[in-house]
Amino acid sequence: MELLKRKIIEKGTVKEGNILKVDNFLNHQLDIDLLNEVGKEFKRRFAEENITKILTAEVSGIAIAAITAQYFHVPVVFAKKTESKNLDEETFEGNVYSYTKEKQYKIRVSKKYIAKGENILIIDDFLANGQAILGLKEIVDAAEANLVGAGVVIEKGFQEGGKILRADHINIQSLAIIETMEDNKIVFRDYRD
Ligand code: 5GP
């Protein structure tokens, strides 16, 4: 998606530990015009699928999933990262290992909000090692729902996640795939000037 790639080049900064900071439009301030285009593009890529629900994880997936859902006309459910008294006791759980924080945590969704046989589209901001999407997939599997695919805004193609998930036959649609980002120079996998 050229508009997104241009925005990454213009506003993204590369941080230590192979982290791309996109706070200007995706992770802190939100560029709603851009997110609408992201939502439309996900709809175009999954147009043939009968999606009944969008699943993401709090916090940064929520805005993207909510805007995308307007083009699918389905509800969004976001997995919660913190245990809370407000969350129903009956939950589906997934495990996520965070390489940046070097720890494992659980994500949870109330059993009320994913029904057996539903067609689920996962949406997330980044795909790096694939742990977040695998954790969300665990929830979909536990609910006996169908995982239709995953829409990712930015995939870091030099990390293993994309390879692992595609080998697992998950339909991963990434709107920008970064091949390298050494010395602050971001190169996309299929970038044409
Ligand atoms: P994974 O589970 O695929 O290793 O990482 C995905 C999650 O980690 C995303 O949901 C995102 O929140 C975070 N993440 C991974 N890499 C980056 C990055 O380079 N920049 C930002 N902003 N978040 C990242």
Side-chain angles (χ1 to χ4, degrees):
M1 190 181 158
E2 292 307 315
L3 181 66
L4 170 66
K5 290 175 184 171
R6 275 206 302 277
K7 197 81 177 182
I8 294 170
I9 297 283
E10 259 173 49
K11 305 284 188 190
T13 50
V14 181
K15 298 282 164 194
E16 222 175 287
N18 272 330
I19 293 293
L20 177 65
K21 199 163 181 211
V22 285
D23 278 17
N24 178 278
F25 60 93
L26 194 65
N27 287 144
H28 193 12
Q29 175 170 259
L30 301 170
D31 182 332
I32 300 301
D33 285 342
L34 177 70
L35 291 186
N36 271 310
E37 295 306 316
V38 162
K40 280 183 213 167
E41 182 62 18
F42 283 140
K43 175 64 189 172
R44 197 180 66 76
R45 294 193 186 204
F46 291 100
E48 307 302 315
E49 308 287 352
N50 173 30
I51 288 156
T52 60
K53 201 159 278 179
I54 290 177
L55 176 65
T56 190
E58 67 178 355
V59 175
S60 46
I62 297 176
I64 305 158
I67 287 189
T68 298
Q70 295 183 108
Y71 299 97
F72 287 89
H73 304 285
V74 296
V76 173
V77 177
F78 60 93
K80 300 204 179 197
K81 290 182 179 166
T82 47
E83 230 168 328
S84 131
K85 287 204 178 97
N86 294 331
L87 191 60
D88 293 316
E89 275 172 21
E90 291 283 295
T91 58
F92 298 120
E93 287 185 355
N95 294 288
V96 179
Y97 181 78
S98 166
Y99 283 92
T100 37
K101 293 180 189 137
E102 292 183 348
K103 65 175 190 193
Q104 175 108 8
Y105 62 93
K106 280 195 190 302
I107 53 175
R108 299 179 177 86
V109 168
S110 163
K111 288 189 177 176
K112 278 186 202 156
Y113 298 125
I114 303 185
K116 187 174 172 173
E118 280 209 81
N119 296 323
I120 307 288
L121 172 64
I122 291 174
I123 293 287
D124 209 0
D125 57 346
F126 273 88
L127 168 57
N129 293 296
Q131 290 290 310
I133 290 177
L134 283 171
L136 289 166
K137 179 180 184 292
E138 256 186 84
I139 289 175
V140 175
D141 291 344
E144 295 179 64
N146 311 311
L147 180 58
V148 169
V152 170
V153 181
I154 304 172
E155 175 175 342
K156 293 192 292 182
F158 52 87
Q159 289 182 262
E160 289 303 297
K163 226 182 269 170
I164 294 167
L165 299 176
R166 289 182 181 100
D168 207 10
H169 305 291
I170 301 173
N171 180 7
I172 303 290
Q173 293 291 329
S174 302
L175 304 190
I177 303 181
I178 296 174
E179 193 71 86
T180 57
M181 47 183 213
E182 279 148 29
D183 304 324
N184 253 320
K185 189 177 176 338
I186 297 170
V187 179
F188 295 103
R189 189 163 284 178
D190 53 352
Y191 193 64
R192 279 173 236 108
D193 284 307

